[in-house]
Amino acid sequence: MTGGSPVGSLAHGSPAGSVGMIGTALPLVVLAGGAAGYLVLAVRRRREALGWPAARVGCLLAGVGLLAAAVLRPVGPFPVGDFRGHMLQHLTVGMVAPTLLVLAAPMTLLLRTLPAAGGRRLGRLLHRRPVRLLTHPVTALALTLGGPAVLYFSALYRVAAADGTVHAAVHLHFLLAGYLFAWVVAGPDPAPHRPSVPARLVVLGVAVAGHAILSQMLYAGQFTDLPVPAGQRRGAAELMYYGGDLATLALAVVLVGRWRPRVSSAGRGRSGTSAPPR
């Protein structure tokens, strides 16, 4: 097949029918409302002595802007209906925009704004067993790799191309799974039962390998039944391969950049050194 309108509707975020348009617009409206609340709280914090970093506000605005641009208009230089444009959309919605939103540290801002009782309730919620299971890096890894795997290696792509509601649900999964993965692996916000930095680097390595396997299978056309030209499929696979690597590398840089290895007092005694006074 050469890729007709169903492919175009999925590739560039224009779901078929008014129901699909509502399903796509509603998450953006909710996100815009959340961003407005974030900005109000950030302005209040900046008026106080401790303030709130402007860089985090910039990450929020960039993330929301990229997400809206990816969903509401064609992505990149590709024509409408080009499968490579769909892949750029997937990378933006599922990896780039969520990482920027995570770096905005919305939970930290909320915790610094809530009364003490509200902060304790939120902390107790984060440490409940179902939340701990959901926010484990391995769970987040399975969700972020499982989304594209199911979309491209089952009938879901065809279904989403024909049903705007399913299409919007796919976008929502990519966004939430990408946010969850970036948060629990490298986010500045607190997360329950977060493993050590070396363990999370291993998870990132598995993510790189997983994306590489999926992209190579997509390039070869193995186990796929996508209604797109072979050239577009291969081009999209290359974008997935290199784009996924770059996005995961960015997470690794953030994670390592925030890593402050703890040195025990016994270790300092053995080495005969101590931290310089500040």
Side-chain angles (χ1 to χ4, degrees), residues 134-213:
L134 178 64
T135 58
H136 195 282
V138 174
T139 305
L141 175 65
L143 290 172
T144 195
L145 288 179
V150 173
L151 180 62
Y152 301 132
F153 301 101
S154 74
L156 180 58
Y157 185 92
R158 290 179 179 271
V159 174
D163 190 319
T165 303
V166 176
H167 178 207
V170 169
H171 276 167
L172 185 60
H173 171 83
F174 281 155
L175 174 62
L176 294 179
Y179 186 96
L180 178 66
F181 184 73
W183 168 39
V184 302
V185 170
D189 282 333
H193 196 58
R194 185 174 265 159
S196 66
V197 169
R200 282 179 276 157
L201 287 173
V202 171
V203 172
L204 282 173
V206 174
V208 170
H211 276 108
I213 292 172

Side-chain angles (χ1 to χ4, degrees), residues 38-278:
Y38 179 100
L39 292 175
V40 170
L41 296 180
V43 169
R44 289 180 181 177
R45 291 291 302 178
R46 287 185 66 82
R47 291 173 179 171
E48 299 176 2
L50 294 177
W52 186 251
R56 290 184 173 177
V57 177
C59 286
L60 177 89
L61 295 177
V64 173
L66 278 176
L67 185 62
V71 172
L72 296 178
R73 62 184 299 274
V75 179
F78 306 110
V80 174
D82 196 305
F83 188 61
R84 292 167 294 182
H86 158 78
M87 187 57 68
L88 279 178
Q89 183 188 56
H90 156 65
L91 291 172
T92 303
V93 172
M95 301 187 80
V96 180
T99 299
L100 289 169
L101 295 176
V102 164
L103 293 179
M107 190 178 301
T108 299
L109 178 60
L110 182 60
L111 286 171
R112 292 183 182 180
T113 307
L114 285 173
R120 287 193 294 269
R121 284 194 293 269
L122 180 57
R124 287 195 296 269
L125 175 63
L126 289 176
H127 285 84
R128 290 186 176 179
R129 186 179 297 274
V131 178
R132 289 165 62 92
L133 176 62
L134 178 64
T135 58
H136 195 282
V138 174
T139 305
L141 175 65
L143 290 172
T144 195
L145 288 179
V150 173
L151 180 62
Y152 301 132
F153 301 101
S154 74
L156 180 58
Y157 185 92
R158 290 179 179 271
V159 174
D163 190 319
T165 303
V166 176
H167 178 207
V170 169
H171 276 167
L172 185 60
H173 171 83
F174 281 155
L175 174 62
L176 294 179
Y179 186 96
L180 178 66
F181 184 73
W183 168 39
V184 302
V185 170
D189 282 333
H193 196 58
R194 185 174 265 159
S196 66
V197 169
R200 282 179 276 157
L201 287 173
V202 171
V203 172
L204 282 173
V206 174
V208 170
H211 276 108
I213 292 172
L214 292 176
S215 61
Q216 289 170 2
M217 291 174 62
L218 186 63
Y219 187 91
Q222 294 179 337
F223 308 109
T224 65
D225 184 24
L226 299 173
V228 299
Q232 292 184 19
R233 173 176 49 76
R234 289 193 291 268
E238 291 176 346
L239 288 172
M240 183 181 184
Y241 184 89
Y242 294 108
D245 279 357
L246 289 175
T248 308
L249 177 62
L251 275 180
V253 170
V254 171
L255 176 58
V256 174
R258 298 180 59 247
W259 187 15
R260 297 293 185 271
R262 296 179 179 178
V263 180
S264 66
S265 57
R268 288 196 300 267
R270 286 192 300 268
S271 62
T273 60
S274 60
R278 293 185 181 274

